[in-house]
Amino acid sequence: MQPSPPLRLALLTSLAVLAPLTPLVAAGPANASGNASASASGSTAVTVTNGGFEQGTTGWTFTSGTGVATNAPHGGTRLAYLDGGPGKKISQTLTATGTGLYDFSAWIATGGTGGTFTVRVNGATTRSIDLPSRSSYAQYTLPHVSLRNGDTVEIAFESGTGWVNADDVTATVSVPPPVDVINPGFEQGTTGWNFTPGTGVATNIPHGGTRLAYLDGGPGKKISQTLTATGTGLYDFSAWIATGGTGGTFTARVNGTTTRSIDLPSRSSYARYTLSRVSLNEGDTLELAFESGDGWINVDDLMVSPGAPVDPVVTSSDPQIVAMFDWAKRKANSWVQLPGVVGPVNVDEGRRSGTGVGVYAPSYWAGYAHRSASYTRDLAHQMAGASVIGLHAENKSMLRAYAESATAEHKYFPVWALNFDNRTYLKIDYHSPTFFVREVPAAFELVQKANEAYRWSGDSAYIDDPALWDYYKHTTKEFIELHDTRKTNGIAEGTGDGIFSGAVSYNETGEHHLIEAGDALGSQYQAFRAMAALAASKGETALAHRFKRKADDLKAHFNDTWSGEGSGASMIRGYTREGDALTGWGLENSWFMAMKQLIEPGDRAEAYLDFIDQQASGSGKPSNIEAISYLPDTFFAYDRNDTAWKWMKYVYDQRDVQHPVSRQGPNGDYPEVSYTLLGQTVEGLMGVRPDAPAKALATGSRLPSGMDWLQVEDIRIGGSTFTLRHDGATASKLTHTSGSATYRWEARFPGKHATIKVDGVPRKARTKTVNGKPYTYTTVSVAPGRTATVTVS
């Protein structure tokens, strides 16, 4: 099991003005539990040479049209300047000799727009600021740049339309976390913790690493650590715990008062318990304590997560969805990594302490909890739920890291798994540029999910960042061309030789050597649709039209030719290396065809959905809960609301059942479970379709039979928040609770209705078809602070 990263709370803000020539300081030595920090007390890792330009050009590279002057320095007697116009650059390249997280700052004045201040690590842009037109100096900071020993770091100023002056360039350790929990994995024995008699550290059954803490049964035994917070924020505290009886507790006390506490059940195998949203102010004392009960308690691998930026609340006539959503949002956020933590990399079942350390970037667990990584497949399925609780920084950081890994050397495949530093390829799944795990659907899914993340966040980086835009373009063109070698029909293929050679399906257990599969084809179709939407938002109209045609043509080819003439068990779901068509039940390469809306709506699609439900309910049911978590999405795609809700309830009801992989703990401790339930509540049951860039959203009730009403408060879309309520399928109410821009709300209702009213006033009913189903709708402008109610009859 992965040793947990050090338990830290961080307020990640830019540094104040510092003197030039501030060194980058290496992180201190790390132990197997990752208990290390980027600290100013460590040794020098990198020094910025001549940061104030007092030694002229020393240490810097200057192109034509740049230089050093004395006319208007910010500090000292000199500054660097770039004349206006393109192609001018001042830069310095350094080599890091330690691991840590650092801020790069400079004082800059400008005579026009278009200039940039950039840091590149190993040739890739890590942070960059577009400089405004500002003739007086201001300090600009590129925060939280993750560095490892041996990295090359380029600091660069590049020209724009007007002159640029730069001075007092500094590189400093990022703001330290306000609280460190010492020895969170107990790998240093009792260090940092207080132990009463009847407690201690053992090596017999650790969850991760080589040690654990234990409490014998009986009252009065306690293991605790008390810390002082030097900052303010909300944080989650998690620990893996096994128990031999009831009565034990896991508790957080702030200034001596119990803030959060969990009564531990009797469960002899490890499960993960979280104290959610603990509020800390500067100067608070925080006690984390494990206290004994009737039986023994084993504790290991503590972790801290920053509190989710958004805390949506569900209310409903059905108490089960309320309990489900509340559980899911707390569990999902407990998997979020705290940026800046120095933790282990390459942890897996064979390397329980990993192979070294890295500085963790904005990220969350998306895959096995005993590996120190996220996975492309899991990330794609978790991003909607992550958006619901506001994890936009994590989504973008992780997605961008995968985009950068999809190199020409990798034949434009993204790597399968990245450590939480968002840089290091997970060793168990990556051996060389030609021998690493890769599956065709993942490459396409990340394009689709980038578009969806853009619609939730409104972050223009999704269309402006060159690394992301290049990924979309390469995936939807060169990737297909490189992997369409046998049938040459414009469909990306796998090799048929297994996951380390490039599999075409997420179904890794199939005995057939597939080269084309329904899940890859469905994912390619959605990638084309996403590319059309992204291109339209970028203003590339011709490209948008081209990819819309490509999506339409691919769907027509699937329905007219590729999938054969049968339905249900006789629909084709893949083709083998030998050219044989496969029918029957194929798990992912069956249900993805429906989930990606590849099957043309109608009787054939309905028959295939019946087939999926029958197989998944019977002998074809997957053994792993994370596979079943796709089924609600599959049935929501065709408005099979009761069936989707049935599978949501099944996934939730299985949360305490032991996962087939023993070190995962119960099913509920597989991260995908909680994240998908969040997305399926808001995008599925509530039918929310955000479009933050356009200041718009669409909704449509998908409440199942027996759920009279459902409301979600604090739905965050771009810079606005909303409360949405559906009463059955005939009334919806939207309140724009915060924000500065008016949003355009398309209120949809299934079926054709003669009358539609807005706040009681009749309007002309309009209808449209959404994936083959008729909807009645109207559009309402909802300004901040306003509530609108739409009904049909």
Side-chain angles (χ1 to χ4, degrees), residues 129-140:
I129 291 175
D130 294 328
L131 300 172
S133 178
R134 182 189 174 103
S135 59
S136 58
Y137 278 102
Q139 188 185 41
Y140 298 86

Side-chain angles (χ1 to χ4, degrees), residues 639 641 700-702 729-730 748-753 774-776 792:
D639 289 355
N641 306 330
S701 171
R702 291 195 183 119
T730 59
R748 300 174 182 172
F749 300 88
K752 294 183 178 180
H753 299 272
Y775 277 81
T776 301
V792 292

